[in-house]
Amino acid sequence: MAERSKTSSKKPLTKNNSAESKASNQARNEKFKVIFGLILIAVSIYLLIAFTSFLFCAGADQSILKLDWLELIKNPEIKVKNITGKTGAWLANIFINSWFGVSSFIFIYLMIIYSLKLLSQKVPGLLSKTIKALVLILWLSVTLGYAFESKYHSASLYPGGTYGYYVAIWLNSFIGKVGTFFVLLVTLLIYLVFVVEGFVNYFRQPFLHKLTPDTTVFKKKDDSSMKETNSEKKDKKIENLVFNKFSDETEPPIQKEKDQRKEEI
């Protein structure tokens, strides 16, 4: 009996310990989420400033950024014009020039969304937003690489990045520039169909129906012209009545004057 009482007294203790351990683990996880969320927000703001400064200082820092990362760190005399220093200029050069061009700003948008999620903020459709943002990064990089292909070797800033430039060159060699243009246009329309609500409604009605003139406009004009003619007729009738009355009123005095002249004669 004593052993049973001991075992029964041990069971609730283990349950309480497991519940306390779960609560402590959850509290630790929440703390780590908040810490990582704050760090991610700080990094995203830092990258935003670095990318923006790189748009204006890419030409001045281009020769310096060709050096190795270790050389940039070791030598304190090397200075860049980027506001965020050598680290920010180096990261901006990788993201913009070496990777995806100006569309790399969308990575900052994703980082902010995930940081808000870590800070227990409601972010509906996180997975769908991530996929849409990544697809837009790829499409915009290739489009800008196609548009600024001729300035790739002479410019210090690559709007489409190295990725967009080489993909655009491959598409141009495969289907020509005209084919590449239509591929980019069709992919943009497909993207808008999935992203923008109600965009499909523009394609549901046939184009011939859109091109045909609206006959109701002409009917309204005809009705308005008929109304105008009826109103004109009414106005003429009123004018005739007024004129007749005025003529009747003016005729008697004239006849009186004639009679008086005859009497005088």
Side-chain angles (χ1 to χ4, degrees):
M1 294 294 289
E3 291 178 355
R4 288 180 181 178
S5 62
K6 288 180 181 179
T7 54
S8 62
S9 62
K10 287 180 181 179
K11 288 181 180 179
L13 289 173
T14 55
K15 290 181 180 179
N16 292 326
N17 290 328
S18 63
E20 289 177 357
S21 63
K22 287 181 180 179
S24 62
N25 289 328
Q26 288 179 356
R28 287 177 183 175
N29 292 329
E30 292 295 327
K31 289 180 181 178
F32 282 118
K33 284 182 179 179
V34 171
I35 291 169
F36 283 122
L38 293 174
I39 292 171
L40 196 58
I41 285 177
V43 171
S44 61
I45 295 171
Y46 179 80
L47 288 177
L48 178 62
I49 298 170
F51 289 2
T52 306
S53 179
F54 185 78
L55 297 177
F56 301 98
C57 304
D61 298 336
Q62 191 65 31
S63 60
I64 300 171
L65 294 173
K66 290 180 180 179
L67 300 173
D68 293 334
W69 172 241
L70 292 175
E71 293 181 3
L72 290 173
I73 294 173
K74 290 178 182 179
N75 193 353
E77 295 180 357
I78 298 174
K79 296 180 180 180
V80 294
K81 291 187 178 181
N82 197 308
I83 300 173
T84 54
K86 292 182 284 188
T87 303
W90 182 75
L91 289 172
N93 186 41
I94 289 175
F95 274 94
I96 295 176
N97 281 347
S98 300
W99 288 355
F100 302 103
V102 181
S103 61
S104 299
F105 279 92
I106 303 175
F107 284 114
I108 299 171
Y109 164 75
L110 290 175
M111 292 172 67
I112 292 172
I113 287 176
Y114 279 94
S115 63
L116 293 175
K117 186 68 176 178
L118 289 171
L119 294 173
S120 300
Q121 299 295 323
K122 291 183 179 180
V123 182
L126 182 62
L127 181 61
S128 63
K129 288 180 179 179
T130 304
I131 294 171
K132 291 173 184 177
L134 293 175
V135 172
L136 184 60
I137 287 170
L138 297 176
W139 181 87
L140 191 60
S141 176
V142 177
T143 303
L144 292 174
Y146 170 77
F148 297 96
E149 179 186 353
S150 60
K151 298 181 180 180
Y152 179 77
H153 296 287
S154 60
S156 58
L157 177 66
Y158 310 147
T162 305
Y163 167 80
Y165 172 72
Y166 282 107
V167 172
I169 287 175
W170 177 78
L171 287 173
N172 291 335
S173 64
F174 185 64
I175 55 177
K177 290 187 177 181
V178 177
T180 305
F181 172 77
F182 283 109
V183 167
L184 294 173
L185 180 62
V186 171
T187 51
L188 175 62
L189 293 175
I190 293 170
Y191 178 80
L192 292 175
V193 167
F194 284 101
V195 173
V196 180
E197 294 182 358
F199 188 76
V200 185
N201 296 326
Y202 291 101
F203 300 97
R204 286 181 179 177
Q205 295 181 355
F207 290 99
L208 293 175
H209 179 71
K210 293 179 180 180
L211 294 174
T212 54
D214 191 2
T215 56
T216 56
V217 177
F218 297 103
K219 288 182 180 179
K220 289 180 180 179
K221 288 183 178 179
D222 293 335
D223 295 335
S224 63
S225 63
M226 290 294 291
K227 289 179 181 179
E228 287 178 357
T229 53
N230 292 326
S231 63
E232 287 177 358
K233 288 180 181 179
K234 290 180 180 179
D235 293 336
K236 286 181 180 179
K237 288 181 180 179
I238 293 168
E239 288 177 359
N240 291 327
L241 290 173
V242 173
F243 181 74
N244 291 328
K245 287 181 181 180
F246 181 74
S247 61
D248 293 336
E249 290 177 355
T250 53
E251 281 179 0
I254 293 169
Q255 289 179 355
K256 287 181 181 179
E257 290 179 356
K258 288 181 179 180
D259 293 335
Q260 289 178 358
R261 289 178 182 176
K262 286 180 182 179
E263 289 178 356
E264 291 176 356
I265 295 167

